[in-house]
Amino acid sequence: PPRSTLFPYTTLFRSVGANAGLFSHLVFCLNPNVEIIAFEPLPLMVEHIQVLKQRNGINLHCIPKAAGRTSGTATLESPHGYDGTSRISMSGQPAGKTFQVEITALDNELKNRPVLVMKIDVEGYEEEVIAGAEETLSRTKFLIIEAHTAARRDHLTRLLGQNWRRCRLGVSDYLFAHI
């Protein structure tokens, strides 16, 4: 089908842990009318997202914060200083290059807006993101969440609750549909 019928109306797509924005770009290619809000705390990745936005004319707003349970600050650890293995340090002993980043709860940022698809790829911080997104998730149709182990996948499934159904998308990515 023509790409405009894949998402037949202007939709809201959220990317939490946007990295360089490649998934956001894919969604834009499927529907150039999509509104995208990306959360990415790593400064170099925010720059990449802004270049992607400018180069392609994407309706994309990048919030240079991490998502979590509440607003505040945290230490982001990045073994290489720039890549997709960056994560919020939960051990108290961060590895690699570190950055102090702002954290916001999604419920504070995404008030009263329906969300068609939200991608959460936050390298083990999913529980905190979900805890700060209770209202937002009630208005979300689909989630894509990365979980590297069956135990982690099952934990996130229980955390989301009985109103979500799960199917596997790839090696470690899962699609959850809100029923």
Side-chain angles (χ1 to χ4, degrees):
R3 66 182 179 176
S4 63
T5 62
L6 292 173
F7 298 123
Y9 51 91
T10 301
T11 59
L12 202 51
F13 171 74
R14 301 290 193 247
S15 182
V16 182
N19 200 268
L22 295 179
F23 199 82
S24 296
H25 188 248
L26 170 64
V27 170
F28 168 76
C29 288
L30 293 172
N31 179 1
N33 297 315
V34 69
E35 177 184 357
I36 299 169
I37 297 179
F39 292 82
E40 175 54 54
L42 196 58
L44 185 60
M45 292 297 116
V46 171
E47 289 177 30
H48 286 293
I49 291 168
Q50 294 302 339
V51 168
L52 183 70
K53 172 186 174 175
Q54 297 294 328
R55 184 180 301 143
N56 296 287
I58 300 174
N59 181 8
L60 185 154
H61 176 65
C62 184
I63 297 172
K65 298 178 183 178
R69 184 180 299 265
T70 60
S71 296
T73 60
T75 301
L76 184 78
E77 59 184 15
S78 184
H80 307 290
Y82 60 85
D83 68 4
T85 60
S86 301
R87 63 179 165 253
I88 299 295
S89 175
M90 295 180 284
S91 69
Q93 297 179 1
K97 189 170 183 180
T98 62
F99 304 86
Q100 285 302 116
V101 297
E102 285 186 69
I103 294 181
T104 187
L106 294 179
D107 284 345
N108 293 339
E109 301 287 339
L110 309 175
K111 293 182 181 194
N112 304 316
R113 303 277 314 272
V115 178
L116 180 63
V117 179
M118 181 184 308
K119 177 193 71 79
I120 302 174
D121 183 356
V122 291
E123 304 302 321
Y125 205 64
E126 294 83 6
E127 187 171 337
E128 295 297 310
V129 172
I130 291 167
E134 187 175 309
E135 290 177 31
T136 301
L137 290 173
S138 73
R139 297 185 309 275
T140 301
K141 287 187 177 256
F142 300 101
L143 288 172
I144 298 171
I145 302 179
E146 181 181 62
H148 292 288
T149 67
R152 187 76 181 144
R153 175 204 63 208
D154 293 345
H155 173 72
L156 293 171
T157 300
R158 283 190 301 276
L159 189 63
L160 287 169
Q162 63 186 8
N163 293 326
W164 293 90
R165 293 295 174 258
R166 172 191 85 214
C167 69
R168 190 175 195 157
L169 290 177
V171 173
S172 59
D173 293 315
Y174 296 87
L175 175 68
F176 291 83
H178 199 202
I179 55 171

